[in-house]
Amino acid sequence: MKSKKHILLIMALIIACVLVAGTTPAASKNKWDAYATMAIVHLGDHADINSVVARNNAYLVQALSDGQTFLIQSADGTALDQFIKQCNKDKDVVYAEADTPLAIPETASTQSGQLAQSTVALLNQSTVALLNDSSSGFCTAGGLEENYFGAIVRSTFVHQPALNLIRNDQAHGLSTGTGIVVADIDNGVDVDSPFLQVALLPGYNFVDNNSDVSEWSALGQSTVALLNHNGSLGLDQSTVSLINQSTVSLLNQSTVSLLNQSTVSLLNQSTVSLLNQSTVALLNQSTVALLNQSTVSLLNQSTVSLLNNLPPAFGHGTMVAGLIRAVAPNAKIMPIKAFDENGAGDLFAVVSAIYYAVDNGADVINMSFSFADGSQTLKQATNYANHNHVALVASIGNDGVSANDNSFPADNPNVTAVAATDNNDTLAPFSNYGHKVDFTAPGVNLCTIAPGGHYALVSGTSFSSALVSGLVALADSARASNPDHIKGAMGQAAVNIDKLNPGYKNDLGKGRVDEPGTLNQIMK
């Protein structure tokens, strides 16, 4: 039996972790300030970029692998619109356009008010919800676990209602995605996730221009130690177990509230399950006093502040990748970071990511993002992917409006555009719709993995796109000849849901995707 002194030491260590983790997370390298003077230029054959930048009083920032497309910046601070007009007059420039800022659609700064509160809570500044494993009835702590293609996961994740609706289990009797590479353009992944590790390939970070695609890189080490379920913090096994298993419960809002009322709540059913009987017995009045005076204050002022101020897009890439692997468990995933931890990115980073994916062997590219303005450079990139027989999938957006000619890259003809429906095949209230939609897929209250070994409940067209990208990988692995063949098979197998969505006829594409139906069409 542990001594009272040892238990107090454990509590002190937890407090120390909370204190250190309460500091501001490591700042991101912010290149977005330079938008005002950056332009993308596409040159004619045999043109020299050095001559172009010299004539336009600019300097070269980056180059695409096509050897004709470049990101350049004005050297004298010329206004962007004037700089673009000037470049377009250059004899060697085919076109010039702005390197526009972009954002992941499920982050707080891009919400229209339509997106379900569950996802707003997860992906804006409330990681309390993300780390609280009891966030839904079927995505709960405990319960059965299973070995799912090489990784131990909760059965309630891989057999959840959304996956059952698209008949995911039945599809795996026909294909599991073997031999296929899915590039996921997002804000990185949890590279330490046991569920993802078996599938991850090396990727690239176009935000910082290096190979680090970890979502953890944006956080300070002490914050990572507090949030990462797999971190040991340098403590003994029993203490690690106490911290890793109890921190989420100790830090969620309900427990913080209870701690304010009375530390007797530490002995309630949820906490008793975390602390063994001998530990509970040792929580005498002196320990309670310590918790009341120190820990409660720290949880409220430091840790809750920390959780509420984590980067708004933290977890997005991991959650998307988790759903891709749930559908295509034997496919490989190539994480490409084009957005930072705040969900901010730019056009050139996204286009660079598409070229990188194609040039490095991707078969499918998932793009769980959308933006309102079209781009010649983006269209050129999607054409490049299509020419190389790489399938492209993108979310249609979360504004709850008709997205005809104003949702890119989903609007591009070479891209499969995905809207979100619920588990009753009803259009999600936040999802865009319109004649550019190709298919719908579940996107409301999906259970998926989150950074640090946790699970989360999410909603958004980003996650619908992930499911469809997984299906495309299954189809590609099942002898599909090209992306058009896959899209045709998906259309023949899709479930028409127009009658369930009066008022949206012809706005939901061919209907909701069906996995084994698609594969059977491919194998005919």
Side-chain angles (χ1 to χ4, degrees):
M1 179 181 293
K2 295 184 177 72
S3 67
K4 177 168 70 178
K5 181 177 179 181
H6 186 55
I7 294 302
L8 288 174
L9 176 59
I10 290 174
M11 293 302 176
L13 287 168
I14 294 175
I15 292 168
C17 291
V18 171
L19 272 173
V20 176
T23 58
T24 304
S28 169
K29 298 176 182 177
N30 191 352
K31 73 175 186 179
W32 319 127
D33 295 339
Y35 277 140
T37 54
M38 281 193 176
I40 300 172
V41 294
H42 182 74
L43 307 187
D45 293 340
H46 311 301
D48 177 28
I49 184 60
N50 294 316
S51 298
V52 171
V53 296
R55 287 194 297 268
N56 291 280
N57 194 21
Y59 62 85
L60 177 64
V61 180
Q62 284 180 280
L64 282 185
S65 61
D66 68 348
Q68 291 181 271
T69 309
F70 305 88
L71 182 65
I72 65 174
Q73 185 170 12
S74 170
D76 58 10
T78 301
L80 182 59
D81 58 346
Q82 184 60 38
F83 184 50
I84 290 173
K85 288 179 182 178
Q86 176 182 310
C87 291
N88 273 319
K89 293 178 180 178
D90 191 290
K91 65 183 181 68
D92 287 331
V93 174
V94 177
Y95 68 80
E97 62 180 355
D99 181 27
T100 53
L102 308 175
I104 292 174
E106 281 86 8
T107 55
S109 61
T110 58
Q111 289 311 313
S112 66
Q114 297 291 334
L115 191 57
Q117 287 296 315
S118 60
T119 301
V120 174
L122 286 167
L123 296 178
N124 64 17
Q125 296 168 9
S126 180
T127 308
V128 171
L130 184 151
L131 294 179
N132 182 1
D133 285 341
S134 60
S135 55
S136 77
F138 60 85
C139 194
T140 55
L144 296 176
E145 293 185 331
E146 64 180 82
N147 188 323
Y148 189 78
F149 297 89
I152 302 300
V153 294
R154 292 182 191 163
S155 296
T156 49
F157 162 41
V158 293
H159 304 300
Q160 62 180 291
L163 293 180
N164 293 340
L165 181 65
I166 58 178
R167 301 198 293 162
N168 191 50
D169 286 342
Q170 295 94 314
H172 293 162
L174 301 171
S175 175
T176 58
T178 301
I180 301 303
V181 175
V182 181
D184 182 31
I185 302 175
D186 213 297
N187 68 325
V189 294
D190 178 1
V191 296
D192 300 321
S193 165
F195 184 68
L196 294 179
Q197 275 185 332
V198 295
L200 289 180
L201 294 175
Y204 195 78
N205 178 342
F206 284 99
V207 175
D208 300 310
N209 291 312
N210 58 40
S211 60
D212 182 8
V213 294
S214 174
E215 285 204 71
W216 295 111
S217 300
L219 307 182
Q221 290 184 350
S222 56
T223 307
V224 174
L226 180 65
L227 301 183
N228 193 342
H229 182 84
N230 299 311
S232 70
L233 305 180
L235 305 177
D236 62 70
Q237 185 174 0
S238 61
T239 307
V240 170
S241 178
L242 171 65
I243 293 174
N244 281 347
Q245 296 179 32
S246 64
T247 300
V248 172
S249 294
L250 286 170
L251 301 188
N252 69 34
Q253 291 175 335
S254 61
T255 307
V256 170
S257 176
L258 289 168
L259 284 170
N260 281 332
Q261 296 172 22
S262 171
T263 310
V264 174
S265 65
L266 281 171
L267 304 183
N268 68 17
Q269 184 176 3
S270 62
T271 307
V272 169
S273 68
L274 298 170
L275 303 176
N276 61 36
Q277 291 183 349
S278 60
T279 304
V280 171
L282 289 168
L283 288 174
N284 61 16
Q285 291 182 348
S286 61
T287 307
V288 168
L290 168 66
L291 292 171
N292 276 332
Q293 295 175 21
S294 302
T295 307
V296 173
S297 174
L298 288 169
L299 286 173
N300 282 331
Q301 296 177 20
S302 299
T303 304
V304 173
S305 175
L306 165 70
L307 295 179
N308 284 338
N309 289 285
L310 279 172
F314 179 72
H316 189 275
T318 299
M319 297 170 186
V320 167
L323 290 169
I324 293 172
R325 183 165 191 259
V327 174
N330 281 334
K332 297 298 182 182
I333 296 175
M334 178 193 298
I336 307 177
K337 188 171 183 176
F339 299 89
D340 68 13
E341 67 277 10
N342 296 309
D346 70 294
L347 176 61
F348 196 81
V350 167
V351 170
S352 298
I354 294 172
Y355 274 87
Y356 179 91
V358 175
D359 294 342
N360 286 274
D363 302 290
V364 183
I365 300 177
N366 180 68
M367 299 179 287
S368 286
F369 51 84
S370 63
F371 38 96
D373 297 320
S375 157
Q376 293 182 75
T377 311
L378 180 63
K379 185 176 181 180
Q380 172 186 301
T382 58
N383 287 342
Y384 178 71
N386 185 258
H387 178 75
N388 285 277
H389 304 293
V390 177
L392 298 140
V393 181
S395 54
I396 196 69
N398 296 326
D399 299 310
V401 299
S402 178
N404 295 322
D405 303 316
N406 62 350
S407 183
F408 298 90
D411 269 8
N412 289 346
N414 294 326
V415 179
T416 297
V418 185
T421 44
D422 63 19
N423 291 336
N424 294 313
D425 283 333
T426 302
L427 181 68
F430 57 79
S431 179
N432 290 350
Y433 51 89
H435 67 264
K436 292 297 180 73
V437 172
D438 291 304
F439 303 101
T440 73
V444 178
N445 292 340
L446 303 185
C447 180
T448 184
I449 61 168
H454 303 288
Y455 291 80
L457 192 68
V458 296
S459 295
T461 54
S462 284
F463 310 107
S464 305
S465 176
L467 297 182
V468 174
S469 289
L471 171 55
V472 172
L474 296 182
D476 205 354
S477 180
R479 303 194 305 273
S481 57
N482 56 56
D484 289 338
H485 183 200
I486 296 172
K487 199 169 185 177
M490 290 169 62
Q492 290 176 304
V495 177
N496 188 300
I497 58 174
D498 282 348
K499 290 183 179 179
L500 297 172
N501 294 275
Y504 294 101
K505 187 176 181 180
N506 300 322
D507 283 337
L508 303 178
K510 296 289 186 179
R512 191 253 304 148
V513 295
D514 180 78
E515 291 185 31
T518 298
L519 298 177
N520 284 325
Q521 290 293 331
I522 291 289
M523 294 174 174
K524 280 185 177 180

